[in-house]
Amino acid sequence: MPITGVYFIPSNPNASTALQVITERLRAAFPNEELTPIGRWGLEQKLLRDTQGLLPSSNSNKKPSNPRYMQFLSLTHYPTHGFIYTSEPEKPIPAPNQNQNQGARGPVNAIAPDHSPSPPMVMTTIPPSSYGTLFQHFTYACQPFWNHRFTLAVPNGIVYEVGDFRVRLGDVRQTFPTARVRGTVVEIEWRGPSVVEAIPVDREDGSFDVGVGAGGGCDVDVEVAGIDLASSAIEESDIDAEYAATASLIREFWGRLGVEAREAILIPNVGREVKDRLRRWKKSGSGADTRADTKVDRTGSVVGERAEEDPDPWSGADVARQFMEVLRFNR
């Protein structure tokens, strides 16, 4: 799974987007690079919100519940699966005992301030054949519980190779409920040597192909990079350090363009699937059963059945989170 950063530059409805400006800045900032498009890319994101969070509470003394969201995302550069990011249900708060109720009383109709964090999110991936069917299920069969807020798309993005980076950029268009242009999104992918890319992908039977990295199209020569492929030589702290160092490189790259934007790089939960794969790799060396089952693991990801044509069902989970983070408009 390559390490990436995503930037979004909003635009006014009647103004031009920053796409042309960013393209010109790329050419000016990297004059020695041949900026010829090497391909096209696209995405589609659909956001749903629970209807309970949209309705006013009948009890003015009751603290309103945190809204729950469900996001569907498909990326053309990860064609073997779609991404779904869902809020976990809130855990019920135990009722205070009688002694607590005898404490100092506040105003009769006051709502207690909400200091609780937002509900955690759970990421899962599903085959493309089930992606559209599941979305239709939630928009029709579950319509009383979930409200389709908007659909966004990048219909015809452009891909450039710039040194050790791959840059994807395109205009974001809202297609539902009304059509409008929202701005420009840029994904910057690190293509150089990486410890993260050196961690092998596990097979469905729980074994690992040592020497076969996490993929994502990143060419990693572990011998040239000096990366030790022994599982004992890589720790989770190494992954954290790799993400932090690569984030600095991505920010330096973006800084050369001189464009203000909303950033998503080291966001919550990024790198979880990579660390989970590292744990399974270490367990495989001890003879433990590392096969993933259909349950929510402790990393906040739903592990489901793997499609035969999808060797790495978690590839792209990080960049999916980043896109979902920057494309949050008035949810």
Side-chain angles (χ1 to χ4, degrees):
M1 186 186 305
I3 301 177
T4 57
V6 175
Y7 293 87
F8 176 74
I9 306 94
S11 63
N12 296 323
N14 298 324
S16 59
T17 67
L19 183 62
Q20 185 63 33
V21 173
I22 294 174
T23 304
E24 293 173 355
R25 297 283 180 89
L26 276 172
R27 298 185 187 280
F30 302 94
N32 297 327
E33 298 289 340
E34 184 179 352
L35 287 181
T36 302
I38 63 170
R40 296 285 181 175
W41 75 285
L43 71 76
E44 183 181 60
Q45 182 200 14
K46 300 173 181 178
L47 175 73
L48 286 77
R49 176 173 171 172
D50 67 325
T51 53
Q52 181 180 0
L54 297 173
L55 299 176
S57 174
S58 59
N59 185 355
S60 59
N61 293 324
K62 182 180 179 181
K63 179 180 71 68
S65 60
N66 290 321
R68 296 181 59 203
Y69 299 98
M70 183 182 301
Q71 300 183 67
F72 289 73
L73 180 73
S74 60
L75 298 168
T76 57
H77 45 302
Y78 292 99
T80 56
H81 49 258
F83 304 90
I84 302 178
Y85 209 31
T86 313
S87 303
E88 283 189 354
E90 289 188 77
K91 296 181 180 180
I93 301 175
N97 57 40
Q98 187 175 3
N99 293 333
Q100 290 175 326
N101 288 335
Q102 293 176 353
R105 296 180 178 271
V108 175
N109 293 324
I111 298 177
D114 182 13
H115 299 297
S116 60
S118 300
M121 305 289 288
V122 176
M123 172 71 76
T124 187
T125 62
I126 58 175
S129 58
S130 304
Y131 180 85
T133 303
L134 189 59
F135 176 76
Q136 291 180 357
H137 171 76
F138 279 101
T139 53
Y140 291 99
C142 300
Q143 190 175 24
F145 307 103
W146 291 96
N147 177 264
H148 183 192
R149 302 291 282 174
F150 61 70
T151 297
L152 304 172
V154 176
N156 199 20
I158 306 172
V159 185
Y160 294 102
E161 290 279 8
V162 186
D164 288 329
F165 296 91
R166 176 166 290 179
V167 181
R168 297 179 178 90
L169 62 159
D171 284 338
V172 179
R173 302 180 183 275
Q174 179 176 302
T175 60
F176 177 87
T178 57
R180 57 172 294 194
V181 177
R182 302 305 300 252
T184 302
V185 70
V186 182
E187 175 197 331
I188 302 174
E189 175 186 324
W190 171 248
R191 305 276 295 175
S194 171
V195 171
V196 171
E197 287 293 303
I199 300 174
V201 175
D202 48 336
R203 300 170 178 170
E204 190 173 4
D205 61 2
S207 62
F208 284 78
D209 283 328
V210 177
V212 179
C218 183
D219 300 325
V220 180
D221 190 333
V222 294
E223 294 183 358
V224 174
I227 299 174
D228 189 345
L229 277 180
S231 61
S232 60
I234 303 177
E235 301 295 338
E236 292 187 22
S237 59
D238 298 323
I239 295 177
D240 292 333
E242 184 82 8
Y243 271 87
T246 307
S248 298
L249 294 175
I250 293 173
R251 285 170 176 151
E252 180 183 355
F253 181 97
W254 181 256
R256 296 180 65 176
L257 305 184
V259 179
E260 293 187 2
R262 186 186 306 166
E263 175 192 278
I265 303 181
L266 299 178
I267 60 174
N269 301 328
V270 73
R272 280 189 164 185
E273 289 76 19
V274 175
K275 292 180 180 179
D276 187 53
R277 188 169 67 243
L278 176 62
R279 296 187 196 107
R280 295 197 302 271
W281 187 25
K282 288 180 176 292
K283 286 183 179 179
S284 68
S286 63
D289 186 1
T290 62
R291 289 175 294 180
D293 56 16
T294 53
K295 65 181 180 181
V296 178
D297 63 17
R298 69 184 184 94
T299 64
S301 303
V302 176
V303 182
E305 294 295 332
R306 176 182 300 188
E308 293 182 359
E309 65 277 7
D310 192 357
D312 185 8
W314 291 119
S315 60
D318 281 343
V319 73
R321 288 188 177 95
Q322 292 167 341
F323 275 117
M324 293 175 185
E325 176 67 23
V326 299
L327 300 180
R328 296 189 304 167
F329 306 129
N330 301 324
R331 301 191 305 178

